[in-house]
Amino acid sequence: MFTNLISFVGLAVLAWALVHVTRLAVRNQKAKRFDAAAYGLVPRDQLDAGRSGPPRDEPALQLAVEAACGGDWEPAAGLLASAADDADWEARWRLVGVFADVAVEDERWLRTWRARMPHDADAVVVHAHALLLRAWAARGVKYAQETSDGQMETFAELLPTAMHAAREAARLAPRDPSPWITMVAAARGLGLSHDEFNGLWAEVTARAPHHYDAHWQALQYWCQKWYGSHKLMFRFAKEAAVSAPAGSLLSGIYLDAVHEAVLQDGDEAYRTWATKPMIARVQADLAQADPDDHRLPHIRHLLAATLVKCGRYAEALAQFRLLGGWCGAAPWTSANDTVVAFDHARGLAALGSGRP
């Protein structure tokens, strides 16, 4: 009798599993052809994988980039100096990144700037970060065993040069966290020990304790594929999230950690690490954040994906409505087809939330 009971329970579980799998398959198929407009979403033929969100109206930055491309460094210097004067380190770091990208493509304007003003801290800050970007571009994004010897040699040559330039920039601009963020970004490539890394990190947080991009770079060091583990990465992310002021958006770094774990372990990572308290913290900070904050789309994309995977479809749908038709962001960009991945997740959120 006991054996028969076990057999019955086993058959019941098997039947439930089959029904569940069938329902998921049906929902997945329906999600591929759902009526986006009926749920207040942008039609799929209008989705844009080129950006994470709408373009920002920044005429001064646009003019400075155009001037740099034409060989004129002074508008870039003016913007960087203004951000330093205001001690707006997040804005300054964004400018450093933009101008370093320009310099990677064509550095003639930066060479002229450095020749004219060899001790200008801003020029050295941009130069250091451009060297770092060039080093990582030479290496590529694949694992070491999938990267050629030539790529690794170029990487090994450029990275110490970037670190040396960043240290010079830190000497010239002692208040600025930017050179230290460049060093943090170089740390994993240089194979720095935990103690060495913590020394760099202390310099960053002494100047900008809640700097989002700095935390993202540090998260990469602490992740499993570099010099940490899931345990160390999530401890770092959780401490950052709970220590940040409400509305600062730094809680979003926890979703970056979840995405990193998903890249390593698949969707199971959502069930393991996407906890309700941390999701609630991110949602609360998004509700209080400045609507013009350039990090909003990045965090919304990660949150929408997480909510879908956690079966919280109505909440995910609300995020997709706010995102509109922009889909050029993680986690969708990790898929073979960014638009298809984004649209499928929207479909699951829409259908799972009920009638339109």
Side-chain angles (χ1 to χ4, degrees):
M1 179 177 177
F2 184 67
T3 302
N4 290 338
L5 178 60
I6 292 176
S7 298
F8 176 77
V9 171
L11 288 171
V13 170
L14 178 60
W16 176 88
L18 288 172
V19 170
H20 181 65
V21 169
T22 301
R23 285 176 176 172
L24 285 178
V26 170
R27 179 172 288 177
N28 276 321
Q29 287 301 315
K30 287 183 177 179
K32 293 177 181 178
R33 55 180 186 274
F34 82 107
D35 184 356
Y39 289 89
L41 299 171
V42 173
R44 62 175 54 85
D45 62 357
Q46 296 178 27
L47 297 180
D48 187 338
R51 307 181 63 93
S52 63
R56 295 163 59 86
D57 184 18
E58 298 175 294
L61 177 57
Q62 183 177 345
L63 288 172
V65 168
E66 292 172 355
C69 292
D72 182 3
W73 54 271
E74 292 188 79
L79 285 180
L80 286 162
S82 177
D85 290 341
D86 296 338
D88 188 345
W89 303 125
E90 297 266 9
R92 179 171 165 83
W93 176 252
R94 184 162 173 268
L95 294 173
V96 169
V98 169
F99 294 128
D101 277 330
V102 175
V104 168
E105 295 298 320
D106 184 350
E107 65 175 8
R108 287 174 295 178
W109 65 279
L110 183 57
R111 288 203 302 266
T112 302
W113 183 6
R114 295 216 58 193
R116 297 272 182 86
M117 304 181 70
H119 302 297
D120 188 310
D122 294 343
V124 183
V125 168
V126 173
H127 182 220
H129 200 61
L131 287 170
L132 177 80
L133 295 181
R134 191 172 286 120
W136 281 107
R139 185 197 182 282
V141 298
K142 295 182 178 179
Y143 288 101
Q145 62 268 27
E146 300 171 338
T147 304
S148 72
D149 292 342
Q151 287 176 289
M152 294 302 289
E153 288 172 8
T154 304
F155 183 58
E157 290 171 4
L158 288 174
L159 210 55
T161 305
M163 179 66 89
H164 177 77
R167 290 196 179 280
E168 174 65 10
R171 184 184 67 80
L172 293 170
R175 293 189 309 138
D176 188 359
S178 302
W180 296 100
I181 300 171
T182 295
M183 290 185 238
V184 163
R188 63 186 186 274
L190 291 168
L192 299 192
S193 69
H194 288 185
D195 286 343
E196 290 172 312
F197 180 85
N198 285 329
L200 297 178
W201 186 241
E203 298 288 353
V204 173
T205 54
R207 293 163 174 81
H210 307 301
H211 197 294
Y212 195 103
D213 290 320
H215 280 80
W216 188 90
Q217 293 292 348
L219 189 79
Q220 296 304 303
Y221 178 88
W222 291 117
C223 76
Q224 183 173 271
K225 69 174 181 258
W226 284 102
Y227 294 101
S229 62
H230 284 351
K231 181 179 179 181
L232 290 172
M233 176 179 70
F234 278 101
R235 184 175 70 185
F236 172 81
K238 186 174 181 180
E239 288 175 355
V242 300
S243 67
S248 75
L249 291 183
L250 186 54
S251 57
I253 205 70
Y254 192 88
L255 296 183
D256 283 299
V258 171
H259 175 56
E260 182 61 43
V262 169
L263 293 176
Q264 299 294 313
D265 301 339
D267 285 356
E268 181 62 33
Y270 285 112
R271 292 179 283 275
T272 304
W273 299 106
T275 62
K276 289 183 178 180
M278 294 310 300
I279 292 175
R281 176 61 190 260
V282 175
Q283 289 174 312
D285 286 343
L286 281 174
Q288 299 179 58
D290 180 348
D292 292 328
D293 195 308
H294 72 276
R295 294 162 301 183
L296 272 175
H298 167 77
I299 297 170
R300 284 201 195 282
H301 283 289
L302 293 174
L303 177 60
T306 301
L307 291 170
V308 168
K309 293 297 183 179
C310 292
R312 296 166 62 169
Y313 299 117
E315 294 166 272
L317 182 60
Q319 295 300 322
F320 281 119
R321 284 173 176 154
L322 290 168
L323 286 167
W326 312 99
C327 58
W332 327 115
T333 48
S334 298
N336 291 330
D337 189 315
T338 298
V339 171
V340 169
F342 178 76
D343 191 47
H344 183 245
R346 294 193 312 163
L348 291 174
L351 296 175
S353 66
R355 292 181 177 275

